[in-house]
Amino acid sequence: QVQLVESGGGLVQAGGSLRLSCAASGRTFSNSAMGWFRQGPGKEREFVATISRGFSTRYADSVKGRFTISRDNAKNMVYLQMNSLKPEDTAIYYCAAGRVSYTTVTDGNYDYWGQGTQVTVSS
């Protein structure tokens, strides 16, 4: 059974940092793009960051320069380092595994999703 499990969320003050982790199990995702999405209160789910099979990355404009996505294929893990957090970053963050190998911002290109981890940034 394929599972993606996020961890590392929590409450942090504006300007602080958090590191989210996503543990994949059930199959290897080394050939898949991996992504992070988020859904804020009262908002639609939105793309945050993606990393390709070849370690290329792509970010939403709102997080560029503050967030860094990375992956460790040996551990079947994906990470999202979030720095200089802002109250508008408050959301549930979801990890996703793509059916494609290249970076993609389209949630329809992702087959598997985690349950999400809450990130709350206080002002």
Side-chain angles (χ1 to χ4, degrees), residues 3 10 15 17-18 20 47 52 58-59 61 73 87 120:
Q3 268 194 316
S17 298
L18 283 173
L20 304 184
F47 164 76
S52 72
R58 189 171 175 185
Y59 298 92
D61 287 343
N73 288 337
T120 303

Side-chain angles (χ1 to χ4, degrees), residues 9-123:
L11 174 63
V12 64
Q13 287 189 329
S17 298
L18 283 173
R19 187 194 194 208
L20 304 184
S21 299
C22 173
S25 61
R27 54 161 278 199
T28 180
F29 289 100
S30 58
N31 291 323
S32 302
M34 300 296 292
W36 287 95
F37 289 74
R38 68 186 181 186
Q39 186 167 16
K43 297 181 180 179
E44 298 284 322
R45 185 170 63 189
E46 64 176 359
F47 164 76
V48 175
T50 178
I51 185 166
S52 72
R53 178 181 64 181
F55 296 88
S56 296
T57 59
R58 189 171 175 185
Y59 298 92
D61 287 343
S62 59
V63 307
K64 205 172 292 183
R66 301 187 297 122
F67 290 11
T68 303
I69 188 172
S70 61
R71 66 191 299 167
D72 185 336
N73 288 337
K75 296 181 179 179
N76 231 14
M77 296 285 293
V78 181
Y79 306 98
L80 185 68
Q81 177 67 44
M82 306 187 296
N83 299 328
S84 302
L85 283 161
K86 304 175 181 180
E88 51 264 44
D89 294 319
T90 294
I92 300 174
Y93 283 71
Y94 298 92
C95 173
R99 67 169 66 96
V100 298
S101 62
Y102 50 85
T103 56
T104 176
V105 308
T106 305
D107 57 4
N109 281 337
Y110 291 86
D111 274 337
Y112 300 101
W113 294 81
Q115 292 298 306
T117 185
Q118 176 71 48
V119 171
T120 303
V121 184
S122 63
S123 56

